[in-house]
Amino acid sequence: MNFSPNENGFYGEFGGAYIPEMLFANVEELQHKYLDIINSERFEKEFRRLLKYYVGRPSPLYYAERLSKHYKTNIYLKREDLNHTGSHKINNTIGQILLAKELGKKRIIAETGAGQHGVATATVCALMGLDCVVHMGETDVKRQMPNVLRMKMLGAKVIPAMSGNRTLKDAGNEALRDWINNPTDTHYLIGSVVGPHPYPDLVAKFQAVISEEIRWQLKEHTGSELPDYVVACIGGGSNALGAFYHFIDDKNVKLVAVEAAGLGVDSGETAASIARGTDGVIQGARTKLMQTADGQIIEPYSISAGLDYPGIGPAHAYLHNIGRSIVMDATDSEALKAAFELTKLEGIIPALESAHALAALPKMKFSASDVVVVNISGRGDKDMDTYIKAMGM
Amino acid sequence: MNRIDNLFKHKSNNILSIYFTAGHPTLTSTVDILSELESSGVDMVEIGMPFSDPLADGPVIQDASSKALGNGMSIKVLLEQLQDVRSKVTIPLLLMGYINPVLQYGVEAFCKKCSEVGIDGVILPDLPMNIYQESFQKYFEQYNLRFIFLITPQTSDDRIRMIDSLSSGFIYMVSSASTTGAKAEIESSQVSYFERVKGLGLKNPLVIGFGISNRETFNRACSYANGAIIGSAFVKMLTETGDWKDGIGKFVRGVK
């Protein structure tokens, strides 16, 4: 399986590298070197070693018996929540930190929304002894405090982003500005399949391990590598693209991407970038984004800091455009309900992001023989404040 | 003749260009600021088209952009405001901004309207060279607009030569690796970059921007290039000075 953009970073009409000249040298260096580096035997060996012994991969593919009974079908949960640091984000940060070392970079910067990518970045920086600066919207600093404290304990400097809505997009803007001001020694470790080429492809290739494992794990469970559905949430879209990646050519596998509707897709308070988006350029890529008729980016809203982003990775815009993916959405309250349902039926507290994927289940029609894989991209520890409030405790 | 070409034909040094954000400090201040800049002796102006996510800009221009958007500025409104600008202002005018609002307006329609109102050039830092060439160069040329590319200390000599061959008007030489308004001076490390570029013998004039804020930095920049651009320092003056009409003359006299 090789789902890749063309040499200029385009998936169909989406992608590319819309960057100012100040970033050109850095981005060009990555564009020229990333494939040779990540395809080298040495890199591959070290990447796989760390995924196995440090991250704890493969993550289990768990048959959720009570959840399956509830939906009268067969549901398997891909347990990315059991990874070291608590989400799928570590797959990408392990890959990119090895890449940054190959490029001789000394300082790592990252943006984070929910803080999962920030924690995963701070973790690999501690592992490799590199300086780490994480930009995080001030709003998210407040609503994801446990992760802020973890980053600090791991030695990262957390800089609150004070522009815009002070959420994920603004953290990304500040990280890009940081990179412009520090062009020689710094690697920008982007956390999702967004940004200028080659980031969408780079991050997709590191996250593809998720679907690579699902295939052989599912064969152990059912005798077939192919499910009927793969369901994942999308903010920028890295866990979804990782979960879809090795199934893109298998046309009978339905790929379901669940966006965060916030208070509702038509409420004006939403992060459903495909449902409410039009074509444009955001943070270096041509893709679907929420914008005004004048081309100003609309501030998104979601209860989930990790999905609170007005754009979508260009590969997802492409998969949607060609009809390969099915895009659904879930509101804040639907996601909360799904989180409590999984907790009650299976004893697994999911991240609010992953709860959006689960919230698509009651809206879908399954047959008793269907095989449904839901990617549990992260665990809910960081969301306890929100869950406690929802319980009225 | 395009006014930018005409300017550089008749003047080869100490060209002072000013950047400000349209719609700031007030929605309707744009044309008044232009008139005031011309009568103060400024040679050329970049009018900023505000964008919600200006990722190459520092806090001063971010703030001006967000205020301008709050005031109701957009490309459509700006081009309407500029409808009669050529009855009042004769110096070269450029529009500078980010690609997304221009894409939504429509690149061809944008070029056509720019040409109708008398805009001479456009700077869109996040429109990459290859996409400009493939998709948009034809419109800029058809409507006699100069498309200005940036170079930075990290831009290789080969790439600078490529940009030079593709450019017309002038080359915008970013003085250091930074966002706008990040530095208020020129450091010695930048001088070797200025000298390197000067030594390349490019066909296009060079104008230095970023980090130019006063007479000292302007004069220093002009010793390596045909002119220099002041942005953040001027926008900051507009933000902070109640009587900005009076402030513009003072600001320009303080530089020239």
Side-chain angles (χ1 to χ4, degrees):
Chain A
M1 178 69 226
N2 187 14
F3 174 69
S4 296
N6 73 15
E7 58 172 13
N8 293 320
F10 281 92
Y11 301 88
E13 63 200 273
F14 301 109
Y18 291 80
I19 47 159
E21 186 66 26
M22 290 79 99
L23 291 175
F24 181 83
N26 269 327
V27 170
E28 188 198 33
E29 181 185 32
L30 276 176
Q31 287 175 352
H32 282 167
K33 294 182 178 168
Y34 83 107
L35 286 176
D36 284 346
I37 292 175
I38 70 174
N39 290 331
S40 73
E41 201 177 311
R42 188 168 63 131
F43 183 97
E44 176 77 5
K45 211 173 147 194
E46 184 63 0
F47 181 55
R48 295 286 165 171
R49 184 183 75 82
L50 286 169
L51 287 186
K52 183 174 178 184
Y53 294 105
Y54 188 71
V55 176
R57 302 203 72 91
S59 67
L61 184 71
Y62 163 71
Y63 179 66
E65 199 177 332
R66 297 187 70 206
L67 192 70
S68 296
K69 218 169 256 172
H70 183 74
Y71 287 105
K72 301 185 175 60
T73 189
N74 305 288
I75 298 173
Y76 292 84
L77 304 179
K78 180 59 174 166
R79 299 292 308 276
E80 292 299 300
D81 58 313
L82 293 177
N83 292 338
H84 179 41
T85 74
S87 81
H88 72 291
K89 293 293 187 188
I90 190 88
N91 305 327
N92 169 47
T93 60
I94 292 278
Q96 280 198 51
I97 205 76
L98 294 173
L99 177 66
K101 273 182 68 180
E102 287 286 325
L103 295 172
K105 303 292 181 179
K106 303 278 180 259
R107 179 175 175 270
I108 304 297
I109 59 173
E111 85 297 338
T112 196
Q116 292 301 97
H117 175 58
V119 168
T121 302
T123 298
V124 296
C125 286
L127 178 68
M128 299 293 172
L130 295 173
D131 285 346
C132 181
V133 171
V134 178
H135 295 272
M136 183 171 189
E138 198 207 19
T139 308
D140 293 336
V141 168
K142 285 179 188 152
R143 62 177 163 173
Q144 308 276 246
M145 192 45 81
N147 274 344
V148 175
L149 299 174
R150 289 166 81 195
M151 283 184 264
K152 287 186 176 168
M153 182 165 173
L154 288 159
K157 187 175 171 197
V158 180
I159 302 181
M162 308 301 283
S163 53
N165 256 13
R166 306 179 178 186
T167 58
L168 178 55
K169 164 181 73 83
D170 312 299
N173 287 346
E174 292 307 327
L176 285 165
R177 289 181 184 123
D178 184 325
W179 209 19
I180 287 173
N181 283 286
N182 297 283
T184 52
D185 64 340
T186 298
H187 174 71
Y188 179 15
L189 206 161
I190 293 188
S192 192
V193 287
V194 300
H197 173 62
Y199 281 104
D201 187 41
L202 180 64
V203 178
K205 286 188 161 68
F206 292 145
Q207 292 294 0
V209 66
I210 300 172
S211 47
E212 182 190 304
E213 289 173 4
I214 293 173
R215 286 187 80 112
W216 64 257
Q217 289 172 320
L218 200 59
K219 191 168 188 186
E220 285 183 0
H221 281 286
T222 69
S224 165
E225 290 187 346
L226 302 180
D228 296 292
Y229 296 89
V230 179
V231 184
C233 64
I234 43 170
S238 71
N239 92 81
L241 198 52
F244 294 171
Y245 196 91
H246 288 281
F247 297 112
I248 290 171
D249 281 349
D250 298 295
K251 306 291 186 210
N252 291 329
V253 179
K254 298 178 194 70
L255 307 175
V256 181
V258 187
E259 299 195 289
L263 300 183
V265 170
D266 298 318
S267 68
E269 295 289 332
T270 186
S273 329
I274 292 182
R276 279 291 157 264
T278 49
D279 293 5
V281 170
I282 181 171
Q283 291 177 342
R286 187 168 184 131
T287 184
K288 296 259 184 213
L289 63 136
M290 301 198 305
Q291 58 183 327
T292 66
D294 295 326
Q296 308 299 338
I297 297 172
I298 294 174
E299 296 293 346
Y301 165 76
S302 166
I303 194 173
S304 146
L307 304 181
D308 198 353
Y309 185 71
I312 188 75
H316 284 294
Y318 171 72
L319 290 173
H320 170 71
N321 235 28
I322 62 168
R324 182 65 192 91
S325 66
I326 300 163
V327 175
M328 299 179 66
D329 58 80
T331 62
D332 289 359
S333 56
E334 289 166 344
L336 279 172
K337 196 176 162 208
F340 282 95
E341 182 177 271
L342 185 72
T343 306
K344 189 177 157 207
L345 292 177
E346 299 288 348
I348 297 169
I349 301 177
L352 269 168
E353 290 74 24
S354 323
H356 284 73
L358 292 160
L361 297 176
K363 302 177 180 185
M364 299 168 73
K365 284 207 165 58
F366 301 114
S367 73
S369 61
D370 278 344
V371 172
V372 182
V373 174
V374 182
N375 197 34
I376 304 300
S377 55
R379 59 176 172 244
D381 306 28
K382 70 185 176 58
D383 297 310
M384 284 316 295
D385 275 357
T386 308
Y387 291 149
I388 288 164
K389 270 186 206 132
M391 286 187 287
M393 288 165 74
Chain B
M1 186 186 239
N2 182 290
R3 292 176 198 86
I4 298 171
D5 299 346
N6 197 42
L7 170 65
F8 287 100
K9 196 179 162 193
H10 292 103
K11 191 170 175 181
S12 60
N13 51 37
N14 293 319
I15 289 173
L16 173 61
S17 187
I18 294 282
Y19 168 95
F20 72 97
T21 305
H24 169 264
T26 69
L27 178 62
T28 53
S29 52
T30 314
V31 176
D32 291 341
I33 292 173
L34 290 173
S35 301
E36 208 62 42
L37 285 170
E38 171 155 316
S39 60
S40 304
V42 164
D43 299 298
M44 181 166 74
V45 181
E46 282 101 45
I47 306 168
M49 301 177 282
F51 181 48
S52 55
D53 293 74
L55 51 86
D57 285 302
V60 171
I61 294 175
Q62 284 176 45
D63 185 50
S65 295
S66 116
K67 285 193 176 121
L69 292 172
N71 289 340
M73 185 45 75
S74 66
I75 293 180
K76 194 161 167 271
V77 169
L78 175 60
L79 289 170
E80 278 163 17
Q81 289 182 351
L82 295 176
Q83 196 66 46
D84 297 320
V85 72
R86 284 306 175 192
S87 64
K88 295 172 188 149
V89 179
T90 61
I91 54 174
L93 299 176
L94 295 95
L95 295 187
M96 181 167 186
Y98 292 82
I99 183 65
N100 193 53
V102 177
L103 284 176
Q104 304 312 316
Y105 189 94
V107 177
E108 187 177 6
F110 174 77
C111 290
K112 185 162 180 275
K113 190 75 184 163
C114 281
S115 159
E116 280 169 20
V117 304
I119 294 296
D120 306 291
V122 175
I123 311 175
L124 298 171
D126 61 343
L127 176 59
M129 194 158 53
N130 59 337
I131 294 170
Y132 168 76
Q133 281 177 290
E134 276 166 32
S135 309
F136 303 129
Q137 187 174 3
K138 55 189 177 214
Y139 302 129
F140 287 89
E141 286 179 355
Q142 183 185 339
Y143 293 102
N144 197 28
L145 295 167
R146 300 289 169 261
F147 192 85
I148 310 301
F149 288 99
L150 275 56
I151 60 171
T152 80
Q154 277 70 43
T155 310
S156 67
D157 287 359
D158 284 350
R159 185 168 165 85
I160 293 175
R161 288 187 198 286
M162 197 156 70
I163 286 171
D164 188 45
S165 70
L166 192 64
S167 290
S168 54
F170 63 92
I171 289 175
Y172 191 133
M173 190 169 170
V174 176
S175 70
S176 67
S178 72
T179 42
T180 55
K183 288 177 182 165
E185 55 192 31
I186 294 174
E187 291 157 12
S188 55
S189 61
Q190 292 165 256
V191 169
S192 62
Y193 154 62
F194 295 160
E195 281 171 345
R196 169 168 72 91
V197 176
K198 198 177 175 185
L200 291 175
L202 305 178
K203 73 176 168 76
N204 282 284
L206 290 167
V207 182
I208 296 179
F210 290 45
I212 315 301
S213 60
N214 53 24
R215 178 172 292 169
E216 189 203 337
T217 44
F218 176 72
N219 287 340
R220 191 122 190 248
C222 287
S223 63
Y224 300 99
N226 305 80
I229 302 166
I230 301 182
S232 295
F234 182 75
V235 172
K236 192 160 180 259
M237 184 280 294
L238 289 179
T239 306
E240 290 173 356
T241 309
D243 183 6
W244 49 264
K245 280 191 185 171
D246 190 42
I248 290 174
K250 276 188 199 154
F251 185 92
V252 174
R253 283 193 298 278
V255 176
K256 282 196 105 165

